[in-house]
Amino acid sequence: MASTNPTPSTDNAAEREAFYDAIDPEHMRALWSVLDDLVTPQPASRCQPWLWRFDAVRTRLEQAGKLISAEEAVRRVLILENPGLRGRASITTSLYAGIQSVLPGEVAPSHRHTQSALRFVLDAAPGAFTRVDGEKTEMHTGDFVITPNWHFHDHGNDGDQPVYWLDGLDIPLVQFLDASFAEKGSETQQRDARPAGDSLARYGANMLPVDYRPGSGASPIFNYPYARSREALEIMRRRDEWDPCHGLKMRYVNPADGGWAIPTIGTTLQLLPAGFVTETYRSTDATVFVPVEGRGRSRIGEQWFEWGPRDLFVCPSWAPIVHEPAEDAVLFAYSDRPVQEALSLWRESRGVPDRG
Ligand code: GTQ
């Protein structure tokens, strides 16, 4: 009597392959042939640990500055592309990183888009500025500046030195969701609609306008000056209480609701004292680190990366990381943690991971 049970795999491997080939042109795929790759027991990212030296990127940007103006380029940026994600303009699976330069007298014209952006200023002299929604702010080295989505922004440089900053955007995430819209401003540079410093005074002095209600989710502050953040860390260190994995690590907040400054990108500033060795840490949010002060090295998985100010390195999701600062070090970092938290996906683990 013929059995109704499927034939054991040893007998029908060729038949199965033929079946997969037959359904392929009909745009079907057998789940059981790919299930282990789809629903993995742990994150299985193509993102790789990597480090870019600021000096090398700056040399290339100097060359780019002779090839194209900021105005013609719209944004003269070199994208930092993860070696595991080539061709995808991604530093992690969900996030983008680029280094932008604006030369003295140049203008990066006004536009807006549904992608949210952060700027972390790597090297600036007086005169470098960005303008968000009609408010101009000077960019100083170490400042953290945000461009909430769908806000017009233009950049410029009235000084006599080039300015360099890191752009962190949620470009891959927005692309994944097919939610990209963009448009040019009606003028190359926005008019100044509000006085410089207005946002920081209004929302960043432990007060809020009495009837203020949080709006889009992004912080109403768009420049978090390094001088303030750095001073806060310096005062806090006097307690001499250090998290074994993080040293002293603070997150940039939206003062109106206590949430992250940008809804899709979490940002932090971290102080690690000289000689501190962090305990092994990992989390599901692949993270981009930018040392601001100090030198040291970090181990990501099995690889060591030596870093100094303005270098940039990336740690993939769930890769174990250890920091060893040789000097007092300050690290800026960003990741998609707010997105993962909102979706109940974010996880962390402290201590040496189990092997395998
Ligand atoms: O400054 O608006 O690196 O729109 C990539 C896309 C910067 C910007 C980037 C952008 C910008």
Side-chain angles (χ1 to χ4, degrees):
M1 203 175 75
S3 166
T4 52
N5 288 335
T7 333
S9 63
T10 43
D11 293 345
N12 72 352
E15 270 176 84
R16 289 183 183 186
E17 284 304 325
F19 175 74
Y20 303 150
D21 291 347
I23 64 172
D24 179 78
E26 295 167 24
H27 310 291
M28 289 183 260
R29 188 177 298 276
L31 172 62
W32 63 87
S33 67
V34 290
L35 183 58
D36 288 349
D37 295 333
L38 294 180
V39 183
T40 58
Q42 296 195 1
S45 182
R46 298 173 64 170
C47 176
Q48 291 176 22
W50 199 256
L51 178 142
W52 289 260
R53 299 238 170 265
F54 176 70
D55 287 349
V57 181
R58 181 175 48 198
T59 300
R60 293 302 187 189
L61 271 169
E62 283 166 0
Q63 294 168 349
K66 297 189 175 98
L67 295 175
I68 191 164
S69 70
E71 186 158 358
E72 192 195 343
V74 181
R75 299 291 183 263
R76 190 178 48 236
V77 176
L78 293 180
I79 301 169
L80 305 184
E81 202 167 68
N82 191 288
L85 302 166
R86 287 175 70 88
R88 290 166 52 174
S90 304
I91 191 157
T92 70
T93 307
S94 60
L95 296 175
Y96 159 105
I99 310 291
Q100 180 159 179
S101 72
V102 181
L103 300 175
E106 282 193 322
V107 168
S110 171
H111 71 184
R112 65 175 176 177
H113 38 69
T114 49
Q115 292 81 359
S116 297
L118 69 85
R119 331 274 167 206
F120 190 77
V121 184
L122 299 172
D123 193 9
F129 68 88
T130 188
R131 206 187 273 104
V132 179
D133 203 16
E135 185 176 327
K136 193 174 179 177
T137 185
E138 275 240 7
M139 296 170 101
H140 305 105
T141 302
D143 288 358
F144 163 59
V145 177
I146 71 168
T147 311
N149 68 1
W150 212 239
H151 285 53
F152 279 109
H153 51 285
D154 59 88
H155 316 301
N157 187 352
D158 294 335
D160 57 9
Q161 298 293 320
V163 55
Y164 298 93
W165 68 76
L166 163 71
D167 284 323
L169 286 89
D170 52 11
I171 290 174
L173 178 69
V174 173
Q175 189 173 45
F176 175 77
L177 297 170
D178 280 335
S180 178
F181 293 89
E183 61 187 32
K184 290 183 180 149
S186 53
E187 292 160 299
T188 306
Q189 292 193 287
Q190 299 172 76
R191 280 171 214 200
D192 291 312
R194 289 175 283 133
D198 185 74
S199 301
L200 191 58
R202 205 168 288 265
Y203 306 104
N206 300 318
M207 295 185 285
L208 291 172
V210 65
D211 289 322
Y212 179 78
R213 295 282 172 270
S216 71
S219 171
I221 297 174
F222 68 95
N223 190 344
Y224 295 72
Y226 187 65
R228 278 201 193 184
S229 312
R230 183 67 183 88
E231 186 190 10
L233 292 176
E234 205 53 39
I235 293 171
M236 282 183 276
R237 79 182 295 172
R238 294 181 197 154
R239 281 230 312 242
D240 205 24
E241 285 174 5
W242 305 96
D243 178 283
C245 293
H246 298 315
L248 177 55
K249 189 168 187 177
M250 305 294 286
R251 61 188 183 88
Y252 290 94
V253 294
N254 176 342
D257 63 9
W260 299 91
I262 306 171
T264 49
I265 309 177
T267 48
T268 58
L269 195 69
Q270 171 177 22
L271 176 68
L272 295 167
F276 196 85
V277 177
T278 64
E279 274 180 24
T280 307
Y281 179 80
R282 55 183 179 165
S283 58
T284 49
D285 54 323
T287 303
V288 178
F289 291 92
V290 185
V292 192
E293 297 175 30
R295 301 194 162 271
R297 59 178 197 157
S298 299
R299 182 166 51 78
I300 305 173
E302 306 296 324
Q303 278 172 272
W304 283 101
F305 295 92
E306 301 215 357
W307 42 258
R310 300 176 295 193
D311 292 338
L312 186 148
F313 60 96
V314 56
C315 175
S317 167
W318 216 234
I321 187 163
V322 166
H323 302 296
E324 291 190 7
E327 307 164 355
D328 278 4
V330 178
L331 305 179
F332 172 81
Y334 71 99
S335 78
D336 63 11
R337 180 168 165 175
V339 178
Q340 296 200 25
E341 286 179 344
L343 303 177
S344 303
L345 291 169
W346 187 77
R347 284 198 200 192
E348 66 178 341
S349 132
R350 287 160 174 263
V352 179
D354 298 336
R355 288 277 149 194

